[in-house]
mmCIF file of all heavy atoms in Angstrom:
data_model
loop_
_atom_site.group_PDB
_atom_site.id
_atom_site.type_symbol
_atom_site.label_atom_id
_atom_site.label_comp_id
_atom_site.label_asym_id
_atom_site.label_seq_id
_atom_site.Cartn_x
_atom_site.Cartn_y
_atom_site.Cartn_z
ATOM 1 N N ARG A 263 -39.663 -5.317 -34.633
ATOM 2 C CA ARG A 263 -38.561 -6.290 -34.626
ATOM 3 C C ARG A 263 -37.959 -6.493 -33.249
ATOM 4 O O ARG A 263 -37.049 -7.272 -33.078
ATOM 5 C CB ARG A 263 -37.461 -5.826 -35.583
ATOM 6 C CG ARG A 263 -37.873 -5.834 -37.040
ATOM 7 C CD ARG A 263 -36.717 -5.434 -37.935
ATOM 8 N NE ARG A 263 -36.316 -4.055 -37.680
ATOM 9 C CZ ARG A 263 -35.053 -3.621 -37.807
ATOM 10 N NH1 ARG A 263 -34.097 -4.453 -38.123
ATOM 11 N NH2 ARG A 263 -34.770 -2.346 -37.604
ATOM 12 N N ARG A 264 -38.449 -5.770 -32.237
ATOM 13 C CA ARG A 264 -37.801 -5.801 -30.932
ATOM 14 C C ARG A 264 -37.931 -7.153 -30.253
ATOM 15 O O ARG A 264 -37.076 -7.551 -29.464
ATOM 16 C CB ARG A 264 -38.395 -4.704 -30.030
ATOM 17 C CG ARG A 264 -37.635 -4.533 -28.715
ATOM 18 C CD ARG A 264 -38.195 -3.389 -27.905
ATOM 19 N NE ARG A 264 -38.077 -2.159 -28.627
ATOM 20 C CZ ARG A 264 -39.079 -1.313 -28.858
ATOM 21 N NH1 ARG A 264 -40.302 -1.622 -28.431
ATOM 22 N NH2 ARG A 264 -38.887 -0.204 -29.535
ATOM 23 N N VAL A 265 -38.964 -7.912 -30.553
ATOM 24 C CA VAL A 265 -39.158 -9.207 -29.910
ATOM 25 C C VAL A 265 -37.983 -10.127 -30.176
ATOM 26 O O VAL A 265 -37.624 -10.965 -29.353
ATOM 27 C CB VAL A 265 -40.478 -9.855 -30.401
ATOM 28 C CG1 VAL A 265 -40.633 -11.256 -29.805
ATOM 29 C CG2 VAL A 265 -41.659 -8.984 -30.021
ATOM 30 N N ALA A 266 -37.355 -9.951 -31.324
ATOM 31 C CA ALA A 266 -36.189 -10.791 -31.646
ATOM 32 C C ALA A 266 -35.027 -10.534 -30.711
ATOM 33 O O ALA A 266 -34.149 -11.372 -30.546
ATOM 34 C CB ALA A 266 -35.753 -10.545 -33.092
ATOM 35 N N TYR A 267 -34.985 -9.361 -30.086
ATOM 36 C CA TYR A 267 -33.910 -9.019 -29.175
ATOM 37 C C TYR A 267 -34.282 -9.257 -27.720
ATOM 38 O O TYR A 267 -33.494 -9.772 -26.942
ATOM 39 C CB TYR A 267 -33.530 -7.535 -29.353
ATOM 40 C CG TYR A 267 -32.776 -7.249 -30.610
ATOM 41 C CD1 TYR A 267 -33.454 -6.912 -31.781
ATOM 42 C CD2 TYR A 267 -31.388 -7.310 -30.644
ATOM 43 C CE1 TYR A 267 -32.766 -6.652 -32.950
ATOM 44 C CE2 TYR A 267 -30.690 -7.040 -31.815
ATOM 45 C CZ TYR A 267 -31.374 -6.712 -32.964
ATOM 46 O OH TYR A 267 -30.691 -6.456 -34.116
ATOM 47 N N SER A 268 -35.458 -8.836 -27.327
ATOM 48 C CA SER A 268 -35.811 -8.897 -25.906
ATOM 49 C C SER A 268 -37.311 -8.793 -25.752
ATOM 50 O O SER A 268 -37.998 -8.156 -26.556
ATOM 51 C CB SER A 268 -35.132 -7.744 -25.154
ATOM 52 O OG SER A 268 -35.594 -7.676 -23.834
ATOM 53 N N ARG A 269 -37.801 -9.417 -24.696
ATOM 54 C CA ARG A 269 -39.222 -9.297 -24.362
ATOM 55 C C ARG A 269 -39.488 -8.088 -23.470
ATOM 56 O O ARG A 269 -40.631 -7.760 -23.196
ATOM 57 C CB ARG A 269 -39.695 -10.564 -23.660
ATOM 58 C CG ARG A 269 -39.638 -11.812 -24.544
ATOM 59 C CD ARG A 269 -40.109 -13.035 -23.793
ATOM 60 N NE ARG A 269 -40.054 -14.222 -24.629
ATOM 61 C CZ ARG A 269 -41.029 -14.597 -25.457
ATOM 62 N NH1 ARG A 269 -42.129 -13.872 -25.548
ATOM 63 N NH2 ARG A 269 -40.906 -15.691 -26.198
ATOM 64 N N ASP A 270 -38.403 -7.445 -22.971
ATOM 65 C CA ASP A 270 -38.567 -6.318 -22.067
ATOM 66 C C ASP A 270 -38.995 -5.069 -22.821
ATOM 67 O O ASP A 270 -38.572 -4.821 -23.959
ATOM 68 C CB ASP A 270 -37.250 -6.029 -21.334
ATOM 69 C CG ASP A 270 -36.845 -7.184 -20.430
ATOM 70 O OD1 ASP A 270 -37.749 -7.873 -19.935
ATOM 71 O OD2 ASP A 270 -35.633 -7.389 -20.243
ATOM 72 N N ALA A 271 -39.804 -4.258 -22.185
ATOM 73 C CA ALA A 271 -40.189 -2.976 -22.751
ATOM 74 C C ALA A 271 -38.992 -2.030 -22.704
ATOM 75 O O ALA A 271 -38.147 -2.127 -21.814
ATOM 76 C CB ALA A 271 -41.354 -2.385 -21.962
ATOM 77 N N PRO A 272 -38.880 -1.076 -23.662
ATOM 78 C CA PRO A 272 -37.750 -0.141 -23.657
ATOM 79 C C PRO A 272 -37.593 0.611 -22.350
ATOM 80 O O PRO A 272 -36.475 0.814 -21.875
ATOM 81 C CB PRO A 272 -38.095 0.802 -24.818
ATOM 82 C CG PRO A 272 -38.972 0.011 -25.712
ATOM 83 C CD PRO A 272 -39.769 -0.878 -24.809
ATOM 84 N N ASP A 273 -38.719 1.039 -21.760
ATOM 85 C CA ASP A 273 -38.626 1.784 -20.510
ATOM 86 C C ASP A 273 -38.010 0.935 -19.404
ATOM 87 O O ASP A 273 -37.240 1.429 -18.568
ATOM 88 C CB ASP A 273 -40.010 2.274 -20.078
ATOM 89 C CG ASP A 273 -40.526 3.392 -20.975
ATOM 90 O OD1 ASP A 273 -39.702 3.975 -21.709
ATOM 91 O OD2 ASP A 273 -41.738 3.657 -20.948
ATOM 92 N N ASP A 274 -38.338 -0.359 -19.399
ATOM 93 C CA ASP A 274 -37.771 -1.252 -18.380
ATOM 94 C C ASP A 274 -36.275 -1.430 -18.588
ATOM 95 O O ASP A 274 -35.492 -1.431 -17.634
ATOM 96 C CB ASP A 274 -38.463 -2.618 -18.431
ATOM 97 C CG ASP A 274 -39.942 -2.528 -18.050
ATOM 98 O OD1 ASP A 274 -40.294 -1.561 -17.338
ATOM 99 O OD2 ASP A 274 -40.708 -3.407 -18.457
ATOM 100 N N VAL A 275 -35.865 -1.598 -19.837
ATOM 101 C CA VAL A 275 -34.439 -1.762 -20.147
ATOM 102 C C VAL A 275 -33.669 -0.519 -19.736
ATOM 103 O O VAL A 275 -32.619 -0.593 -19.104
ATOM 104 C CB VAL A 275 -34.247 -2.049 -21.652
ATOM 105 C CG1 VAL A 275 -32.769 -2.044 -22.011
ATOM 106 C CG2 VAL A 275 -34.886 -3.375 -22.026
ATOM 107 N N ALA A 276 -34.151 0.653 -20.096
ATOM 108 C CA ALA A 276 -33.476 1.904 -19.770
ATOM 109 C C ALA A 276 -33.437 2.134 -18.268
ATOM 110 O O ALA A 276 -32.415 2.555 -17.708
ATOM 111 C CB ALA A 276 -34.175 3.073 -20.463
ATOM 112 N N SER A 277 -34.544 1.853 -17.592
ATOM 113 C CA SER A 277 -34.616 2.068 -16.152
ATOM 114 C C SER A 277 -33.625 1.183 -15.400
ATOM 115 O O SER A 277 -33.001 1.605 -14.430
ATOM 116 C CB SER A 277 -36.043 1.807 -15.660
ATOM 117 O OG SER A 277 -36.127 1.922 -14.258
ATOM 118 N N GLU A 278 -33.463 -0.046 -15.879
ATOM 119 C CA GLU A 278 -32.564 -0.977 -15.216
ATOM 120 C C GLU A 278 -31.123 -0.469 -15.232
ATOM 121 O O GLU A 278 -30.363 -0.691 -14.295
ATOM 122 C CB GLU A 278 -32.644 -2.344 -15.895
ATOM 123 C CG GLU A 278 -31.802 -3.420 -15.224
ATOM 124 C CD GLU A 278 -31.925 -4.753 -15.923
ATOM 125 O OE1 GLU A 278 -32.783 -4.876 -16.827
ATOM 126 O OE2 GLU A 278 -31.158 -5.659 -15.585
ATOM 127 N N LEU A 279 -30.740 0.230 -16.305
ATOM 128 C CA LEU A 279 -29.377 0.746 -16.438
ATOM 129 C C LEU A 279 -29.257 2.200 -15.983
ATOM 130 O O LEU A 279 -28.174 2.778 -16.067
ATOM 131 C CB LEU A 279 -28.919 0.629 -17.891
ATOM 132 C CG LEU A 279 -28.718 -0.801 -18.397
ATOM 133 C CD1 LEU A 279 -28.478 -0.811 -19.885
ATOM 134 C CD2 LEU A 279 -27.559 -1.466 -17.666
ATOM 135 N N GLY A 280 -30.348 2.778 -15.527
ATOM 136 C CA GLY A 280 -30.306 4.165 -15.080
ATOM 137 C C GLY A 280 -30.256 5.163 -16.213
ATOM 138 O O GLY A 280 -29.808 6.294 -16.029
ATOM 139 N N TRP A 281 -30.694 4.768 -17.403
ATOM 140 C CA TRP A 281 -30.684 5.660 -18.567
ATOM 141 C C TRP A 281 -31.974 6.470 -18.631
ATOM 142 O O TRP A 281 -33.053 5.969 -18.345
ATOM 143 C CB TRP A 281 -30.562 4.862 -19.854
ATOM 144 C CG TRP A 281 -29.250 4.173 -20.039
ATOM 145 C CD1 TRP A 281 -28.120 4.345 -19.310
ATOM 146 C CD2 TRP A 281 -28.945 3.182 -21.030
ATOM 147 N NE1 TRP A 281 -27.122 3.540 -19.769
ATOM 148 C CE2 TRP A 281 -27.598 2.806 -20.836
ATOM 149 C CE3 TRP A 281 -29.665 2.584 -22.053
ATOM 150 C CZ2 TRP A 281 -26.960 1.863 -21.627
ATOM 151 C CZ3 TRP A 281 -29.039 1.641 -22.847
ATOM 152 C CH2 TRP A 281 -27.709 1.289 -22.645
ATOM 153 N N GLN A 282 -31.849 7.713 -19.039
ATOM 154 C CA GLN A 282 -32.996 8.573 -19.266
ATOM 155 C C GLN A 282 -33.205 8.694 -20.775
ATOM 156 O O GLN A 282 -32.363 9.242 -21.489
ATOM 157 C CB GLN A 282 -32.772 9.960 -18.654
ATOM 158 C CG GLN A 282 -33.896 10.945 -18.884
ATOM 159 C CD GLN A 282 -35.194 10.491 -18.236
ATOM 160 O OE1 GLN A 282 -35.197 10.036 -17.101
ATOM 161 N NE2 GLN A 282 -36.298 10.622 -18.956
ATOM 162 N N VAL A 283 -34.299 8.154 -21.286
ATOM 163 C CA VAL A 283 -34.550 8.197 -22.731
ATOM 164 C C VAL A 283 -35.800 8.995 -23.070
ATOM 165 O O VAL A 283 -36.107 9.181 -24.259
ATOM 166 C CB VAL A 283 -34.661 6.760 -23.316
ATOM 167 C CG1 VAL A 283 -33.345 6.048 -23.204
ATOM 168 C CG2 VAL A 283 -35.777 5.978 -22.634
ATOM 169 N N ASP A 284 -36.536 9.433 -22.065
ATOM 170 C CA ASP A 284 -37.696 10.280 -22.317
ATOM 171 C C ASP A 284 -37.252 11.725 -22.487
ATOM 172 O O ASP A 284 -36.167 12.111 -22.056
ATOM 173 C CB ASP A 284 -38.699 10.184 -21.165
ATOM 174 C CG ASP A 284 -39.325 8.797 -21.076
ATOM 175 O OD1 ASP A 284 -39.473 8.165 -22.132
ATOM 176 O OD2 ASP A 284 -39.656 8.366 -19.958
ATOM 177 N N GLY A 285 -38.105 12.531 -23.098
ATOM 178 C CA GLY A 285 -37.788 13.942 -23.246
ATOM 179 C C GLY A 285 -36.941 14.215 -24.479
ATOM 180 O O GLY A 285 -36.899 13.450 -25.438
ATOM 181 N N ARG A 286 -36.218 15.314 -24.417
ATOM 182 C CA ARG A 286 -35.448 15.812 -25.560
ATOM 183 C C ARG A 286 -33.966 15.462 -25.357
ATOM 184 O O ARG A 286 -33.390 15.739 -24.307
ATOM 185 C CB ARG A 286 -35.642 17.327 -25.674
ATOM 186 C CG ARG A 286 -34.979 18.007 -26.859
ATOM 187 C CD ARG A 286 -35.337 19.478 -26.817
ATOM 188 N NE ARG A 286 -34.619 20.261 -27.796
ATOM 189 C CZ ARG A 286 -35.009 20.443 -29.062
ATOM 190 N NH1 ARG A 286 -36.128 19.885 -29.470
ATOM 191 N NH2 ARG A 286 -34.302 21.185 -29.889
ATOM 192 N N HIS A 287 -33.330 14.866 -26.379
ATOM 193 C CA HIS A 287 -31.932 14.427 -26.275
ATOM 194 C C HIS A 287 -31.166 14.784 -27.534
ATOM 195 O O HIS A 287 -31.747 15.024 -28.598
ATOM 196 C CB HIS A 287 -31.849 12.922 -26.048
ATOM 197 C CG HIS A 287 -32.412 12.468 -24.747
ATOM 198 N ND1 HIS A 287 -31.715 12.549 -23.556
ATOM 199 C CD2 HIS A 287 -33.627 11.949 -24.430
ATOM 200 C CE1 HIS A 287 -32.471 12.090 -22.583
ATOM 201 N NE2 HIS A 287 -33.634 11.714 -23.077
ATOM 202 N N ILE A 288 -29.834 14.800 -27.384
ATOM 203 C CA ILE A 288 -28.925 15.006 -28.513
ATOM 204 C C ILE A 288 -28.007 13.788 -28.598
ATOM 205 O O ILE A 288 -27.339 13.438 -27.622
ATOM 206 C CB ILE A 288 -28.085 16.287 -28.343
ATOM 207 C CG1 ILE A 288 -28.994 17.512 -28.401
ATOM 208 C CG2 ILE A 288 -26.997 16.372 -29.406
ATOM 209 C CD1 ILE A 288 -28.275 18.823 -28.146
ATOM 210 N N GLY A 289 -27.987 13.133 -29.748
ATOM 211 C CA GLY A 289 -27.134 11.961 -29.928
ATOM 212 C C GLY A 289 -25.679 12.351 -30.128
ATOM 213 O O GLY A 289 -25.370 13.356 -30.773
ATOM 214 N N VAL A 290 -24.788 11.545 -29.562
ATOM 215 C CA VAL A 290 -23.343 11.762 -29.663
ATOM 216 C C VAL A 290 -22.705 10.429 -30.054
ATOM 217 O O VAL A 290 -23.096 9.370 -29.543
ATOM 218 C CB VAL A 290 -22.754 12.259 -28.321
ATOM 219 C CG1 VAL A 290 -21.230 12.298 -28.375
ATOM 220 C CG2 VAL A 290 -23.310 13.631 -27.979
ATOM 221 N N PHE A 291 -21.718 10.484 -30.954
ATOM 222 C CA PHE A 291 -21.018 9.258 -31.354
ATOM 223 C C PHE A 291 -19.523 9.550 -31.418
ATOM 224 O O PHE A 291 -19.104 10.534 -32.033
ATOM 225 C CB PHE A 291 -21.520 8.759 -32.709
ATOM 226 C CG PHE A 291 -21.210 7.312 -32.966
ATOM 227 C CD1 PHE A 291 -22.096 6.319 -32.591
ATOM 228 C CD2 PHE A 291 -20.004 6.931 -33.550
ATOM 229 C CE1 PHE A 291 -21.817 4.979 -32.814
ATOM 230 C CE2 PHE A 291 -19.713 5.600 -33.779
ATOM 231 C CZ PHE A 291 -20.621 4.608 -33.410
ATOM 232 N N LEU A 292 -18.733 8.697 -30.761
ATOM 233 C CA LEU A 292 -17.278 8.849 -30.742
ATOM 234 C C LEU A 292 -16.629 7.827 -31.667
ATOM 235 O O LEU A 292 -17.096 6.693 -31.786
ATOM 236 C CB LEU A 292 -16.727 8.643 -29.327
ATOM 237 C CG LEU A 292 -17.320 9.433 -28.174
ATOM 238 C CD1 LEU A 292 -16.526 9.152 -26.900
ATOM 239 C CD2 LEU A 292 -17.342 10.917 -28.465
ATOM 240 N N ARG A 293 -15.533 8.228 -32.288
ATOM 241 C CA ARG A 293 -14.698 7.325 -33.073
ATOM 242 C C ARG A 293 -13.231 7.579 -32.751
ATOM 243 O O ARG A 293 -12.872 8.658 -32.261
ATOM 244 C CB ARG A 293 -14.899 7.550 -34.583
ATOM 245 C CG ARG A 293 -16.226 7.091 -35.143
ATOM 246 C CD ARG A 293 -16.244 7.296 -36.647
ATOM 247 N NE ARG A 293 -17.566 7.051 -37.206
ATOM 248 C CZ ARG A 293 -17.964 5.890 -37.682
ATOM 249 N NH1 ARG A 293 -17.127 4.855 -37.672
ATOM 250 N NH2 ARG A 293 -19.177 5.744 -38.188
ATOM 251 N N VAL A 294 -12.403 6.591 -33.062
ATOM 252 C CA VAL A 294 -10.962 6.802 -32.990
ATOM 253 C C VAL A 294 -10.595 7.848 -34.026
ATOM 254 O O VAL A 294 -11.096 7.826 -35.158
ATOM 255 C CB VAL A 294 -10.207 5.482 -33.243
ATOM 256 C CG1 VAL A 294 -8.715 5.710 -33.250
ATOM 257 C CG2 VAL A 294 -10.591 4.451 -32.187
#
Side-chain angles (χ1 to χ4, degrees):
R263 293 183 296 148
R264 188 176 299 127
V265 176
Y267 287 90
S268 172
R269 295 180 180 274
D270 296 330
D273 289 344
D274 295 336
V275 173
S277 176
E278 184 179 352
L279 292 171
W281 292 349
Q282 178 63 44
V283 294
D284 293 329
R286 183 178 172 86
H287 295 279
I288 294 176
V290 172
F291 200 90
L292 308 185
R293 289 184 188 267
V294 177

